[in-house]
Amino acid sequence: YAVEDLNLKVRGNEVYGLLGPNGSGKTTTLKMLLGLLYPTRGKALVLGGEGADPTVSARIGYLPEESYLYRYLTPRETLDFYGRLFGLPSRVRKERIEVLLDMVGLKAVAHRPVGTFSKGMARRIGLAQALINDPDLLILDEPTTGLDPIGTRQIKDLILTLSRRGKT
């Protein structure tokens, strides 16, 4: 089993990290919480329900270990695309896009295709994408992978800022 006898509870506004060696089940656990994988026994509940339930998944933001970005879209187009997937009204999308681009430090390069971005810049747009729906719960899989020490510090600071603003 990749994950066996795991019982964990994360309270609101907490920052919680899963630590362990490669292959220990961290990503598998996150995917079970998101409803992308199903446990062979037991339950994976998040926000009072199952992650595959649309009413639950609409309240979750997810940054996978490898972001799946459309290389030819700009950051604004990328965020607009994901905002549309969540059914956000045009006015709300536009406001959130500007706030998020500023929050992740990409406003100055918002006109460039994301395919030209460094790994750190791609992680930032991925984080903004995970926040487009203003989620209650943010699940980040290896959010600082491939970042230099300054980029790592900036992402950690942003996570703490989000926690202070009521995100889990």
Side-chain angles (χ1 to χ4, degrees), residues 21-123:
N22 291 341
S24 63
K26 301 179 301 288
T27 296
T28 301
T29 299
L30 297 180
K31 287 182 177 181
M32 283 191 288
L33 291 174
L34 291 162
L36 300 173
L37 292 176
Y38 295 94
T40 51
R41 36 184 189 110
K43 291 185 178 185
L45 299 175
V46 60
L47 298 173
E50 294 187 5
D53 178 344
T55 60
V56 172
S57 62
R59 298 173 52 206
I60 300 173
Y62 175 52
L63 174 65
E65 186 174 356
E66 290 294 325
S67 295
Y68 304 103
L69 300 171
Y70 295 100
R71 298 181 43 78
Y72 300 104
L73 295 182
T74 67
R76 273 196 185 88
E77 291 167 335
T78 297
L79 296 178
D80 186 65
F81 173 76
Y82 284 102
R84 286 173 188 262
L85 288 178
F86 277 102
L88 300 178
S90 177
R91 183 186 56 74
V92 172
R93 270 194 329 270
K94 287 178 181 170
E95 287 174 13
R96 294 231 12 105
I97 288 167
E98 294 311 310
V99 167
L100 290 169
L101 287 173
D102 192 44
M103 183 186 298
V104 299
L106 292 176
K107 206 164 207 158
V109 294
H111 63 283
R112 283 180 40 195
V114 296
T116 66
F117 282 8
S118 68
K119 175 90 173 179
M121 292 166 76
R123 290 308 277 166

Side-chain angles (χ1 to χ4, degrees), residues 1-14:
Y1 297 100
V3 179
E4 190 171 0
D5 294 327
L6 175 64
N7 185 354
L8 95 105
K9 181 174 185 169
V10 179
R11 291 171 188 79
N13 296 29
E14 278 188 339

